[in-house]
Amino acid sequence: MFGNSFQKNKSKKNKSKSKMFFLIGVISALSALLIWRFYVDNVAKYDVTINPSNNVSFHGQKPIALNYKGLDQELYSQKASLNFIYFYSTWCKSCYKNFSIINEIAREFQNTKLNFVAVAIDKDIDSLKLQEYLKKYSNIYFRPFYLENRDDFKEFLHKNNINYKGRVPFLAIIDNKKNLVISYSGVRSLSYLRKKIIENLYLK
């Protein structure tokens, strides 16, 4: 009698183990499917042909001062279908960390319909200070601009639907109809930015 009870308990444990293994198998299969669908397929979606970069470097070029009108003219290009504007400062540690990401975006999409504008917006910036700051980087793939003064800067931001709140680094991506695609302060990954640009430059 004791033996029968033992056998029954053993049988129940074996069934429980079988159910557990079955559930683990189902969960693993579903997880693999989800990973494939949302990662592998998603990566393939962004595997588009981007015109090879000209790799034109602006290292050593004298920085150019921009006022309100100059910013407006630089932001929208007739040849571009997407506009990327980036505000940074020479004293900002996060801007320094973010530089390689921003510079790579400028390089990779240099020969596409992305209009890339990066502007140093320090309060006391001038051409010599910015040139000295940029010397620390071996290559720069965007024209160096700096904000000449803050006259009408708020008007420029409002006109172009840029919700800049004074925190750098800051970037915004805008289409030629002045629709804001994304904007944020801080640092995000290169892959995140590439996907946003590819989505709006090639997949729409």
Side-chain angles (χ1 to χ4, degrees), residues 39 42-53 82 84 98 100-110 112 114 116 171-173 181-182 184 187-204:
Y39 181 73
N42 216 21
V43 168
K45 174 185 173 183
Y46 296 99
D47 188 18
V48 299
T49 301
I50 299 170
N51 289 342
S53 174
L82 198 63
F84 184 112
N98 200 37
S100 60
I101 293 171
I102 297 301
N103 200 37
E104 176 57 21
I105 290 292
R107 187 204 67 78
E108 184 178 8
F109 293 93
Q110 196 175 67
T112 69
L114 178 73
F116 185 99
L171 72 80
I173 298 177
V181 176
I182 60 163
Y184 63 84
V187 178
R188 296 199 186 176
S189 68
L190 176 62
S191 61
Y192 173 85
L193 272 179
R194 285 188 79 257
K195 285 179 180 180
K196 287 297 178 183
I197 292 168
I198 289 169
E199 279 173 6
N200 290 276
L201 205 57
Y202 296 99
L203 303 179
K204 278 195 171 182

Side-chain angles (χ1 to χ4, degrees), residues 45-91:
K45 174 185 173 183
Y46 296 99
D47 188 18
V48 299
T49 301
I50 299 170
N51 289 342
S53 174
N54 294 328
N55 293 323
V56 175
S57 175
F58 295 89
H59 186 73
Q61 179 177 304
K62 184 179 178 181
I64 302 164
L66 292 179
N67 57 18
Y68 163 67
K69 289 183 180 178
L71 268 174
D72 217 40
Q73 289 170 359
E74 290 294 335
L75 183 56
Y76 296 104
S77 166
Q78 292 181 349
K79 295 179 181 179
S81 56
L82 198 63
N83 305 282
F84 184 112
I85 188 161
Y86 179 66
F87 297 145
Y88 68 101
S89 69
T90 59
W91 51 262

